[in-house]
Amino acid sequence: MTEKITIRVFIADDHAIVREGLKQILAEQRDINVAGEAENGVDAARLVGKSKANVMLLDISLPDRNGIDVLKQIKKDRPELAVLMLSMHREDQYAIRALKAGASGYLTKQSAPRELVTAIRQVAGGQKYVSAALAQTLASSIGADHEAAVHEGLSDREYQTLTMIASGMTVSEIARELSLSVKTISEYRARLLVKMQLKTSAELTTYAIRNGLVD
């Protein structure tokens, strides 16, 4: 009898309760083992490199580093590792950026309990994983004759700052959330206004709402 291949999963999320919930789901699967875990971006990049994981669950909103930045670093060090991004954000906000950065899939935390195991098995097999709704969005955009929206030209950090401003957060609150200085966030905001040819945070918010970047 052929032994079933074990999928080794590394979990990176700053919330202990989320990590425990994910581990509980995976503990019920005979072909999946948890190979390690981390609660921030620095440890995630360091520890996954030492682990024997072949799939990584990576939170897109880590306390010390943007998850997409961590993803890019990990893919440089371990290009063969399948990385499945986890997020509280709607798929159309960050999924395409994550996939372009090298992610094998994108899963919202709300859908994780019912889709997690399927997603892990799929990316472990070398395939991409996206929800049916996101697949439809991607399919609709192929070959579409439209001018790229202004926000598509923003860096990952600029885009994140835009969505946080549009969600009603102040520069100080964003700085605390991202573990960056107020000066750095103010510079991101200034860059956003120049790139998007807008004048105020209110105009940034209006743009984000109009383009469906925030709920």
Side-chain angles (χ1 to χ4, degrees):
M1 184 175 177
T2 304
E3 186 178 350
K4 202 164 189 178
I5 297 173
T6 298
I7 301 169
R8 296 176 298 277
V9 178
F10 188 97
I11 302 171
D13 193 290
D14 61 318
H15 294 101
I17 193 168
V18 172
R19 295 197 305 274
E20 289 305 313
L22 294 171
K23 286 191 288 186
Q24 271 193 342
I25 294 171
L26 300 183
E28 299 174 3
Q29 312 304 317
R30 292 187 176 182
D31 61 330
I32 300 175
N33 288 334
V34 175
E37 61 184 282
E39 62 180 14
N40 59 59
V42 172
D43 286 346
R46 177 175 59 87
L47 296 174
V48 76
K50 297 178 180 179
S51 76
K52 295 182 179 180
N54 44 17
V55 174
M56 182 180 195
L57 303 180
L58 177 59
D59 186 3
I60 207 166
S61 300
L62 293 168
D64 57 338
R65 295 182 62 191
N66 177 273
I68 292 182
D69 291 339
V70 178
L71 166 67
K72 290 175 180 177
Q73 179 184 342
I74 288 169
K75 293 301 288 186
K76 283 182 182 178
D77 297 337
R78 290 195 58 187
E80 82 290 349
L81 180 67
V83 181
L84 184 62
M85 302 301 291
L86 294 174
S87 177
M88 292 297 294
H89 302 288
R90 264 194 350 247
E91 288 178 307
D92 51 345
Q93 288 186 349
Y94 284 100
I96 294 175
R97 285 177 175 267
L99 293 169
K100 285 182 177 179
S104 295
Y106 187 99
L107 195 63
T108 62
K109 290 183 180 180
Q110 293 91 330
S111 63
R114 63 179 181 276
E115 297 181 34
L116 181 65
V117 173
T118 298
I120 287 174
R121 288 178 179 148
Q122 196 157 312
V123 300
Q127 298 176 291
K128 299 288 186 185
Y129 182 86
V130 294
S131 70
L134 180 59
Q136 182 60 50
T137 299
L138 294 172
S140 299
S141 67
I142 295 174
D145 184 20
H146 69 280
E147 186 177 347
V150 177
H151 65 268
E152 292 179 17
L154 300 176
S155 70
D156 294 327
R157 188 64 86 184
E158 288 167 349
Y159 182 84
Q160 185 178 32
T161 302
L162 169 62
T163 58
M164 294 175 89
I165 288 172
S167 297
M169 296 178 70
T170 66
V171 167
S172 297
E173 289 170 339
I174 295 171
R176 283 196 299 271
E177 178 74 16
L178 301 181
S179 300
L180 296 171
S181 69
V182 170
K183 180 181 178 182
T184 298
I185 300 302
S186 296
E187 288 172 355
Y188 283 135
R189 177 183 174 278
R191 261 192 251 163
L192 284 171
L193 293 172
V194 171
K195 284 188 176 183
M196 302 179 73
Q197 298 183 359
L198 300 173
K199 295 179 180 179
T200 66
S201 293
E203 290 182 348
L204 289 174
T205 301
T206 299
Y207 176 93
I209 293 171
R210 186 183 299 129
N211 286 273
L213 305 183
V214 291
D215 295 325

